Amino acid sequence: MSTPAVERVPFLDLHPMTTEALPAVQRHWADIAESGRFVGGELVERFERDWAAYCGTGHAVGVANGTDALHLSLRALGVGPGDEVVVPANTFVATAEAVVLAGATPRFADVDDDTLLVTPSTVEDALSPRTRAVIAVHLYGQMPDMADILAVTRRAGVPLVEDAAQAQGASWRGVRAGAYGTVGCFSFYPGKNLGAFGDAGAIVTDDAWIAAALRSLRDHGRADGEHVRHVRIGTNSRLDAVQAAVLLAKLPLLDGWNAARRRVAARYAEEFAELPVRTVTEAPGAHGVYHLAVVRVADRDRFRARLAEMGVGTGVHYPTACHEMAPYEAFRTGPLPVAERAAAEIVSLPMFPHLTDEQVRRVVKAVGEACDDH
Ligand SMILES: *Cc1c(COP(=O)(O)O)cnc(C)c1O
């Protein structure tokens, strides 16, 4: 007989969220099958209305994924070849990828040592006469001081794009992620705080003209409401009705799930206060939604291996700063020391709304023991 397996604490468990949403999803799916409207249609429009209202913006445009949300936003803003777009060095690769897909050049900005987000001065350092947009990424579900960031983009005369792929429901001084920028971009990849049962994304904006351009770009450049008149070169990046149905079913649950994530994050912060692990801090005025619970440790690989032995799953988001990845090295303009150092030290601990008190206790204990053997 084998020894009883240690009960693992997974890094992420989507099952409880899926189960909570499933009855409503199945009712919507039955309606979709009945109507035969699989692409677009009433449920997509309903989700777009609800998502715009949730974010506090005039419009939401559903698209196929978060990368397209960013890429099409840049195109709707007129960004193209010869233009530069400032992006954080510490982000998921899709932020920089979207800039290249739009034909422009990413310019990497370093990040703050406490929040690991861009600051006014790191953005300013990355500006040039060719800058046509700045993308602020609400990484880990955290937002920077948005007044400060907007002051820089306004002075530079360029639009602010929010990459809020990890920050559904986050806010800064009571205004939600996505509502500060000229556009706010979301991914609903299954693992995000609000996740579909597949790929999905959306853009929010108060600008009716940009919303109309995005509706055309996502649908082969069609003129509004006309099936065979194509007025620009677009693509196919529509939001499927089956995914909109999942998002509609989950949206009423999002605030409760985010509150549960914040409770776990508060426990971690409290328990780690005396340990040599450093939690990523919230900017003043920010209400983060902890897509990830990121800590920094001196010997990351050893730390992760010890946690794995004790049955605690971890991740790294992300092990290489964007400007140091081979395909993006051509866009590198110099060292970005804070992002580079952080990439070597960060670890993401288990974080999802249905983590039990017992699971949190086991993570805390394992982290304490991993620190003790130093
Ligand atoms: C997930 C993510 C994206 C890309 O979204 P997809 O839906 O996977 O295309 C972009 N930016 C950030 C910060 C992300 O976390």
Side-chain angles (χ1 to χ4, degrees):
M1 276 203 26
S2 58
T3 47
V6 185
E7 214 208 306
R8 282 180 36 81
V9 183
F11 170 66
L12 173 63
D13 181 6
L14 293 178
H15 282 101
M17 284 183 274
T18 304
T19 307
E20 271 188 60
L22 201 54
V25 170
Q26 282 167 335
R27 281 195 300 278
H28 287 316
W29 281 4
D31 292 343
I32 292 167
E34 177 74 23
S35 74
R37 285 299 304 271
F38 294 105
V39 172
E42 207 248 324
L43 284 179
V44 172
E45 284 162 21
R46 247 177 80 192
F47 174 69
E48 289 178 335
R49 275 196 305 276
D50 287 4
W51 187 242
Y54 180 84
C55 294
T57 56
H59 312 271
V61 179
V63 291
N65 55 66
T67 308
D68 283 0
L70 289 161
H71 163 210
L72 297 181
S73 290
L74 293 172
R75 287 192 53 200
L77 291 168
V79 172
D83 297 338
E84 293 182 5
V85 178
V86 175
V87 301
N90 180 37
T91 185
F92 179 58
V93 69
T95 317
E97 192 175 42
V99 174
V100 179
L101 285 172
T105 301
R107 280 289 169 244
F108 293 102
D110 209 351
V111 292
D112 178 72
D113 200 38
D114 292 319
T115 63
L116 300 183
L117 307 174
V118 290
T119 70
S121 72
T122 63
V123 169
E124 234 149 30
D125 288 346
L127 293 173
S128 88
R130 303 203 318 182
T131 307
R132 288 292 170 270
V134 170
I135 307 182
V137 182
H138 304 324
L139 204 68
Y140 313 142
Q142 303 298 334
M143 294 176 73
D145 183 317
M146 295 305 289
D148 277 359
I149 301 288
L150 276 167
V152 175
T153 56
R154 286 191 181 129
R155 236 183 355 260
V158 299
L160 175 68
V161 174
E162 293 178 74
D163 178 345
Q166 300 190 359
Q168 295 94 345
S171 59
W172 187 78
R173 291 203 185 148
V175 174
R176 285 237 160 92
Y180 280 101
T182 303
V183 292
C185 301
F186 292 91
S187 162
F188 303 116
Y189 176 78
K192 311 283 177 174
N193 291 31
L194 178 63
F197 289 179
D199 283 307
I203 303 118
V204 295
T205 182
D206 277 327
D207 186 317
W209 190 89
I210 289 174
L214 287 166
R215 287 181 199 286
S216 173
L217 282 167
R218 73 172 173 185
D219 192 22
H220 303 297
R222 285 190 166 106
D224 184 31
E226 293 182 52
H227 199 66
V228 292
R229 200 159 68 87
H230 303 273
V231 293
R232 50 167 71 73
I233 296 173
T235 184
N236 176 1
S237 183
R238 296 170 299 221
L239 174 62
D240 290 336
V242 290
Q243 301 304 349
V246 176
L247 299 170
L248 269 173
K250 284 186 169 183
L251 182 52
L253 304 169
L254 177 62
D255 285 345
W257 289 343
N258 282 342
R261 288 174 183 271
R262 285 181 60 85
R263 285 194 295 275
V264 174
R267 277 280 308 280
Y268 284 160
E270 195 185 309
E271 299 282 355
F272 302 156
E274 308 294 315
L275 296 179
V277 291
R278 184 169 162 202
T279 49
V280 171
T281 55
E282 267 184 37
H287 183 90
V289 291
Y290 293 89
H291 174 60
L292 295 166
V294 175
V295 298
R296 295 169 68 173
V297 295
D299 189 351
R300 196 243 318 274
D301 291 345
R302 232 198 88 273
F303 181 85
R304 291 190 75 199
R306 283 293 288 128
L307 259 56
E309 276 167 33
M310 291 182 268
V312 172
T314 58
V316 179
H317 303 84
Y318 297 91
T320 310
C322 268
H323 65 292
E324 301 211 293
M325 293 185 187
Y328 295 90
E329 272 176 350
F331 306 114
R332 184 191 157 101
T333 49
L336 297 169
V338 182
E340 288 163 27
R341 190 168 358 97
E345 296 176 353
I346 48 183
V347 188
S348 307
L349 297 175
M351 173 54 83
F352 51 92
H354 299 77
L355 267 175
T356 63
D357 286 348
E358 169 58 17
Q359 286 175 315
V360 173
R361 205 187 55 73
R362 295 205 26 228
V363 175
V364 165
K365 186 160 172 283
V367 168
E369 283 175 27
C371 291
D372 276 349
D373 348 300
H374 257 280

